[in-house]
Amino acid sequence: MNHTGGTTVSAGGLLLAASTTAPSSGTSGGTGLLSVASGAYLDLGGFAARFDGLSGSGTIQNTSSGSTPTLTSPNLVVGNLDNTNMATGAALTSGQSAFGGLITDGFGSVGIFFEKVGHGTQTINSAVPQSFTKGLAVFGGGLVLDMSNMATPT
């Protein structure tokens, strides 16, 4: 799946039925900002996804019936955040994005391997501990794990 613009999940859930890909004009960007509202979720469904940044306070999970216990490449890639959408060149609101929700492996054995690429800063400032276990990599920009909203950081 390759589309331009952002993706907003304002209620209920969105289950991916294909991987999202980087636009042809660049290799580090995503497909716009992903916003998941409180109580809503995005399920990778065993596929890989690329977004320019994450916002909102919902859940990102990877429910999968796959049997790959170890991921060999990231399946949640967040990148760009340099004030432009890689696909359209349109200006974004800032070079920073904050996500206050939950990123979790979900049901199944595939899980989530999170990778931050490109410019800008992605902040994860959730009040709950993140529970993705397959990997975390930073290859550009910054990733801030702000645990100040948590009652007891873990």
Side-chain angles (χ1 to χ4, degrees), residues 6 13 27 30 45 47 52 56 72 91 110 112 129-130 137 142:
T27 59
F47 294 99
D52 289 328
T72 58
V110 175
I112 289 183
Q130 301 303 302

Side-chain angles (χ1 to χ4, degrees), residues 22-29 50 86:
S24 58
S25 63
T27 59
S28 66
R50 298 179 69 103
M86 285 294 289

Side-chain angles (χ1 to χ4, degrees), residues 40-77:
Y41 68 91
L42 171 78
D43 192 327
L44 301 180
F47 294 99
R50 298 179 69 103
F51 297 101
D52 289 328
L54 306 177
S55 67
S57 56
T59 299
I60 300 171
Q61 63 190 27
N62 189 18
T63 300
S64 171
S65 60
S67 60
T68 306
T70 303
L71 292 170
T72 58
S73 61
N75 60 353
L76 179 58
V77 178

Side-chain angles (χ1 to χ4, degrees), residues 17-39:
S19 293
T20 62
T21 59
S24 58
S25 63
T27 59
S28 66
T31 56
L33 295 173
L34 170 66
S35 178
V36 184
S38 178

